[in-house]
């Protein structure tokens, strides 16, 4: 089983490396890099790899893969998660049947299969991020998120334009704020700390997206106490 998973991940990374956009980001807490994230989009699939670094590997060990296979407008057909955290493991794949309005999730560890209702525009977190990047006129609107079987509505609002310092030099950016509303009535369950913690009705998420045709995610800030979590772009290749 372990060899099969490794082979699948190697194949996905190799396949997505051809004619692909690659983003390298750092997640920082109190100014210290805690997690390195690499996102590769080949036009059909987004592969995200997140790994804790430095002291963060001791406190909150994390080595996760997220694979979103999508149709046009970053609408997922399937979403696979392989999660290896200090006290939590997950190996699941979700298939989206939009005609029936349901998602079917297979859990390889628990050997369970389940289904649940979705919105026609339901996306995983990473597919929703790419969709947000390329909305032609960023004013205000809604994204629909599937967060571990729960339906969330994320309202985005364009705040302003500003110039910020980045690894690519000073860039003009569109500043967009996301606020979250849980539509499902069920409680949140334990899952990966990278994506599940980003949807919270008491917190918001602010993105700085480059004001050009590439619409790069230059920076993000997740407001939480006592200190915000900041995502910063480290490198961009295509």
């Amino acid at each position: 089983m372990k060899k099969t998973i490794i082979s699948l991940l190697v194949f996905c990374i190799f396949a997505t490396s051809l004619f692909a956009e690659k983003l390298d980001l750092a997640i920082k807490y109190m100014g210290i890099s805690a997690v390195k994230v690499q996102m590769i989009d080949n036009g059909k699939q987004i592969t995200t790899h997140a790994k804790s670094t430095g002291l963060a590997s001791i406190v909150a060990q994390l080595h996760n893969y997220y694979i979103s296979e999508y149709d046009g407008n970053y609408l997922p057909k399937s979403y696979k998660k392989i999660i290896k955290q200090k006290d939590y493991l997950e190996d699941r794949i979700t298939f989206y049947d939009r005609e029936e309005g349901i998602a079917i999730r297979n859990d390889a560890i628990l050997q369970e299969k389940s289904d649940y209702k979705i919105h026609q525009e339901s996306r995983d977190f990473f597919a929703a991020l790419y969709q947000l990047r390329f909305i032609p006129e960023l004013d205000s609107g809604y994204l629909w998120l599937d967060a571990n079987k729960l339906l969330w509505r994320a309202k985005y609002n364009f705040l302003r334009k500003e110039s910020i310092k980045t690894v690519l030099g000073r860039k003009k950016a569109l500043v967009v704020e996301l606020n979250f509303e849980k539509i499902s009535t069920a409680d949140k369950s334990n899952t990966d700390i990278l994506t599940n913690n980003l949807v919270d009705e008491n917190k918001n998420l602010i993105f700085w997206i480059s004001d050009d045709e590439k619409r790069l995610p230059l920076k993000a800030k997740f407001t939480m106490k006592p200190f915000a979590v900041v995502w910063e772009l480290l490198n961009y290749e295509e």
Side-chain angles (χ1 to χ4, degrees):
M1 179 67 180
K2 185 176 181 181
K3 289 183 178 179
T4 302
I5 293 174
I6 293 173
S7 298
L8 171 64
L9 294 175
V10 170
F11 172 78
C12 288
I13 293 171
F14 174 76
T16 55
S17 66
L18 302 175
F19 309 105
E21 175 195 71
K22 183 173 74 171
L23 303 170
D24 293 302
L25 304 102
I27 301 178
K28 297 182 178 181
Y29 185 69
M30 297 177 60
I32 300 173
S33 179
V35 179
K36 292 291 180 66
V37 178
Q38 183 175 91
M39 302 175 68
I40 300 176
D41 174 25
N42 72 349
K44 296 180 180 179
Q45 179 176 288
I46 302 167
T47 302
T48 303
H49 176 215
K51 187 174 183 180
S52 52
T53 60
L55 293 176
S57 299
I58 301 174
V59 178
Q61 186 178 5
L62 179 150
H63 193 178
N64 299 347
Y65 285 90
Y66 310 82
I67 302 167
S68 181
E69 184 182 355
Y70 62 86
D71 282 325
N73 201 25
Y74 294 101
L75 203 59
K77 296 188 294 184
S78 67
Y79 178 51
K80 184 171 181 63
K81 296 171 64 180
I82 300 176
I83 308 300
K84 294 182 180 180
Q85 293 172 185
K86 189 173 183 180
D87 299 312
Y88 181 76
L89 296 175
E90 183 178 324
D91 184 356
R92 295 169 176 165
I93 184 166
T94 301
F95 298 95
Y96 293 95
D97 185 339
R98 300 188 186 275
E99 290 186 2
E100 297 295 329
I102 62 170
I104 302 167
R105 188 171 78 177
N106 295 322
D107 190 315
I109 295 176
L110 299 179
Q111 295 293 300
E112 291 180 352
K113 183 177 180 180
S114 60
D115 61 74
Y116 55 96
K117 292 182 179 180
I118 59 170
H119 188 274
Q120 285 298 315
E121 294 290 319
S122 287
R123 290 172 172 83
D124 60 86
F125 176 80
F126 298 106
L129 169 59
Y130 275 80
Q131 183 207 14
L132 179 67
R133 284 175 58 189
F134 296 108
I135 293 175
E137 297 294 333
L138 267 176
D139 184 13
S140 65
Y142 294 97
L143 303 173
W144 294 88
L145 303 177
D146 175 12
N148 196 31
K149 299 176 71 171
L150 299 183
L151 179 64
W152 289 76
R153 183 170 66 179
K155 184 176 182 180
Y156 64 85
N157 287 296
F158 170 73
L159 299 180
R160 61 187 178 274
K161 293 184 179 183
E162 66 180 38
S163 178
I164 65 171
K165 185 178 180 181
T166 76
V167 69
L168 304 175
R170 185 159 289 276
K171 302 284 288 185
K172 293 180 180 179
L174 307 170
V175 186
V176 183
E177 180 184 57
L178 269 68
N179 292 279
F180 303 97
E181 177 187 4
K182 186 161 73 72
I183 305 301
S184 299
T185 57
D187 294 331
K188 292 173 68 174
S189 59
N190 184 38
T191 182
D192 70 288
I193 60 176
L194 183 63
T195 60
N196 193 50
N197 290 346
L198 290 174
V199 286
D200 192 309
E201 291 180 311
N202 299 313
K203 303 179 179 67
N204 61 7
L205 186 60
I206 301 175
F207 283 104
W208 284 259
I209 301 171
S210 66
D211 188 12
D212 55 27
E213 63 179 11
K214 297 186 185 300
R215 290 289 188 90
L216 299 176
L218 301 172
K219 180 180 175 181
K221 182 168 72 174
F222 182 60
T223 58
M224 59 181 294
K225 295 180 180 180
F227 304 102
V229 174
V230 177
W231 295 47
E232 291 184 354
L233 183 67
L234 298 178
N235 188 48
Y236 164 76
E237 296 179 16
E238 62 176 356

